[in-house]
Amino acid sequence: MSGKYPRYPAYKDSGVEWLGDVPVGWKLGLGKRLFEQKRDPAFDSDDQLSATQKYGVIPQRLFMALEDQKVTLALAGTDGFKHINKNDFVISLRSFQGGIEWSKYSGCVSPAYTVLRMARAKENSPAFWAYLLKSSAFISKLRSVTEGIRDGKNISYEQFSGILLPVPDLSEQQAIATFLDAETARIDALIAEY
């Protein structure tokens, strides 16, 4: 594959400042139409997960091993924690700095996190949304709707839900995610050579 994504034959003005022109055929949807906020209580069997900017949402024990550091587990239990399914997304305390995190695991997260579930999971590619919700353009937009946010304060579902997002069809989402996976792997390989 070439190092540049092929251009689409035609574009249209999205009418959304942070998006600019988008390919003809792409739709737009509000965050609240694409993602539902979930508050399911944690299961007794759930592993504790952490939302990280570097790895996404992963088990806390894996995070401790990867970063060679200790993280305080909820030793008193996970009452009040929220259940999260594989392919859910999490708004964490620092999402205004690094985007919204994708979980490839089921488990539970702190009640401080906001859990998002794709409203039409069969019509959407979690990998596409993972790239979009971590993109610098989206993070910049997220920052603009959270004016005055401070460390330690969460971005609310209401703030996220009013953002217009681009919605290609499923096959297009999958093609974009596959392309970006390949480009990321190529870049990682080049970096490893140095």
Side-chain angles (χ1 to χ4, degrees):
M1 241 181 196
S2 72
K4 186 175 180 187
Y5 195 71
R7 293 200 44 88
Y8 288 84
Y11 291 81
K12 63 182 179 183
D13 180 1
S14 68
V16 178
E17 186 178 340
W18 80 272
L19 288 175
D21 292 343
V22 296
V24 170
W26 284 24
K27 297 175 183 162
L28 297 176
L30 287 170
K32 66 182 172 185
R33 302 263 185 259
L34 299 165
F35 293 89
E36 302 167 332
Q37 181 178 10
K38 301 307 279 185
R39 294 186 178 97
D40 302 332
F43 303 157
D44 291 340
S45 59
D46 279 346
D47 283 333
Q48 271 186 258
L49 306 177
S50 285
T52 71
Q53 289 181 18
K54 188 173 180 180
Y55 307 109
V57 182
I58 61 172
Q60 282 192 349
R61 293 182 202 291
L62 175 58
F63 178 73
M64 288 188 293
L66 289 169
E67 294 295 311
D68 192 29
Q69 60 179 284
K70 301 279 188 245
V71 175
T72 305
L73 296 170
L75 300 176
T78 54
D79 289 346
F81 275 53
K82 298 174 184 173
H83 177 73
I84 183 171
N85 289 336
K86 179 180 178 181
N87 292 327
D88 283 349
F89 289 81
V90 167
I91 300 175
S92 67
L93 295 177
R94 296 190 184 274
S95 289
F96 65 95
Q97 293 175 337
I100 294 174
E101 307 302 335
W102 176 28
S103 183
K104 296 181 184 178
Y105 301 89
S106 291
C108 66
V109 293
S110 161
Y113 296 153
T114 300
V115 177
L116 303 175
R117 189 162 298 151
M118 288 182 291
R120 294 183 189 95
K122 291 182 180 176
E123 298 172 23
N124 286 288
S125 161
F128 167 79
W129 289 105
Y131 280 114
L132 180 78
L133 299 176
K134 295 286 286 177
S135 70
S136 58
F138 174 77
I139 294 166
S140 179
K141 177 59 182 172
L142 198 57
R143 251 190 229 117
S144 76
V145 300
T146 55
E147 207 57 45
I149 199 160
R150 303 179 314 276
D151 281 354
K153 184 174 183 214
N154 231 353
I155 294 166
S156 72
Y157 175 71
E158 289 70 30
Q159 289 165 320
F160 165 78
S161 71
I163 298 175
L164 275 168
L165 301 168
V167 189
D169 66 28
L170 177 59
S171 63
E172 186 86 24
Q173 289 181 27
Q174 291 168 331
I176 291 168
T178 299
F179 173 81
L180 292 172
D181 284 345
E183 286 298 289
T184 302
R186 185 177 71 83
I187 292 165
D188 289 346
L190 289 171
I191 291 169
E193 288 177 14
Y194 287 96

